[in-house]
């Protein structure tokens, strides 16, 4: 390979890296900062970001809007997430305990294979509604940073100002979850 050709290839490689870096910087600078998590951290609440996603537990779709009038626990998870596996029995217990009061637990499986998500549900005895977000459309609007994460929506469709990072059954999150449910039912 000639020296001129090598220099051209190197220049092209450097240009490609600079271009990708510029694209990354642009994406970070222009990402949606008005996420549910960001609003809650500022002490603000508003309408819960809507979705209309395919069901995992049955056929059809489930929209958040169809649950208006109920308090809704939105739990974002993945089948490979260890804390999600540990949390699943607590969510199932909450669903069984609270549904008579008008609380619906909805598991939002994100970036997962349907078969893995269904195996998870079977293994952990999940009976609450499950939806499947293969494209990750809910991640940006809710501002997810990891799994599991839980939001609670009141009967009017407004987010409760409590955002639970990690398991609902661990440490301070037990009290946060109970407080969020009380707020959602009081509205």
């Amino acid at each position: 390979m000639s020296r001129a050709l090598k220099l051209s290839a190197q220049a092209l490689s450097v240009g490609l890296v600079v271009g990708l870096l510029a694209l990354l910087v642009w994406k970070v600078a222009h990402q949606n900062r008005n996420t549910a998590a960001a609003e809650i951290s500022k002490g603000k609440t508003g309408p819960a970001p809507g979705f209309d996603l395919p069901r995992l537990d049955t056929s059809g779709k489930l929209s958040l809007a169809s649950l208006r009038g109920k308090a809704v626990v939105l739990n974002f998870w993945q089948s490979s997430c260890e804390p999600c596996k540990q949390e699943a029995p607590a969510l199932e217990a909450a669903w069984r305990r609270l549904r008579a009061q008008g609380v619906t637990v909805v598991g939002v499986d994100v970036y997962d294979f349907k078969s893995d998500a269904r195996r998870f549900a079977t293994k952990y005895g999940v009976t609450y509604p499950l939806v499947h977000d293969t494209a990750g459309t809910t991640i940006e609007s809710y501002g997810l940073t990891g799994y599991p994460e839980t939001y609670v929506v009141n009967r009017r469709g407004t987010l409760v100002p409590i955002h639970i990072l990690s398991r609902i059954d661990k440490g301070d999150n037990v009290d946060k979850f109970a407080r969020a449910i009380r707020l959602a039912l009081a509205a």
Side-chain angles (χ1 to χ4, degrees):
M1 186 182 275
S2 73
R3 180 169 163 75
L5 189 56
K6 283 183 185 179
L7 287 175
S8 295
Q10 288 174 342
L12 182 61
S13 297
V14 169
L16 182 61
V17 169
V18 168
L20 288 172
L21 183 60
L23 182 61
L24 176 64
V25 168
W26 182 86
K27 175 67 176 161
V28 169
H30 291 89
Q31 67 186 359
N32 182 6
R33 304 256 187 242
N34 295 323
T35 65
E39 294 300 304
I40 287 172
S41 72
K42 294 178 205 168
K44 299 178 183 177
T45 61
F51 58 77
D52 186 29
L53 295 169
R55 300 274 306 248
L56 276 168
D57 54 326
T58 187
S59 62
K61 288 187 167 194
L62 177 70
S63 71
L64 183 58
S66 72
L67 299 172
R68 186 71 49 94
K70 297 182 182 217
V72 181
V73 174
L74 292 177
N75 178 261
F76 294 86
W77 61 282
Q78 278 188 335
S79 64
S80 61
C81 159
E82 283 304 317
C84 299
K85 294 172 185 177
Q86 297 162 355
E87 179 187 52
L91 280 167
E92 181 63 25
W95 160 242
R96 290 175 186 260
R97 184 178 73 251
L98 297 168
R99 66 182 167 190
Q101 296 175 48
V103 177
T104 300
V105 175
V106 176
V108 183
D109 175 54
V110 185
Y111 290 140
D112 216 348
F113 292 112
K114 280 185 180 181
S115 58
D116 291 343
R118 286 186 175 126
R119 257 191 307 278
F120 177 100
T122 300
K123 181 175 181 176
Y124 295 100
V126 174
T127 63
Y128 51 85
L130 297 174
V131 294
H132 188 59
D133 184 4
T134 53
T137 56
T138 56
I139 287 178
E140 187 171 336
S141 58
Y142 279 89
L144 263 60
T145 58
Y147 304 102
E149 283 191 33
T150 302
Y151 292 85
V152 179
V153 181
N154 70 22
R155 297 173 191 263
R156 292 181 306 217
T158 302
L159 284 166
V160 169
I162 297 172
H163 173 208
I164 301 172
L165 299 166
S166 193
R167 295 168 36 193
I168 63 162
D169 62 335
K170 189 172 180 186
D172 293 343
N173 287 348
V174 174
D175 291 334
K176 280 183 176 180
F177 184 71
R179 198 167 65 247
I181 295 299
R182 281 193 305 274
L183 289 170
L185 289 172

